[in-house]
Amino acid sequence: SMSTEEIDRVIFRPELMKTMNVTSETIRRWMIARRLPAPDVAMSCKTLGWRLSTLRNAGINLAA
């Protein structure tokens, strides 16, 4: 079975862009429009990451 870490791993911005097939600008617009939840990890504006559970709770379902 999958560990909690695998189930709730952090998806960083480049992976989110690739998975959702959108640009960095779209991610930025979605964040401003609150279409994307606030990132769980924010080491810098370039290093933003979301937990899978955070995205799922916001209605964004990505393949694990």
Side-chain angles (χ1 to χ4, degrees):
S1 73
M2 287 207 298
S3 70
T4 308
E5 270 141 44
E6 282 175 295
I7 292 165
D8 206 18
R9 69 191 179 85
V10 172
I11 308 247
F12 287 97
R13 189 174 178 150
E15 185 185 351
L16 190 63
M17 283 162 51
K18 196 171 144 209
T19 309
M20 299 188 81
N21 198 24
V22 294
T23 63
S24 184
E25 177 62 19
T26 299
I27 297 281
R28 193 182 72 78
R29 282 204 308 268
W30 284 356
M31 284 171 70
I32 291 165
R34 301 254 188 273
R35 268 191 70 185
L36 261 182
D40 296 296
V41 178
M43 294 180 241
S44 72
C45 70
K46 290 246 188 277
T47 312
L48 299 177
W50 293 263
R51 291 200 174 277
L52 270 178
S53 61
T54 301
L55 293 170
R56 284 206 184 104
N57 291 339
I60 298 161
N61 290 300
L62 302 176

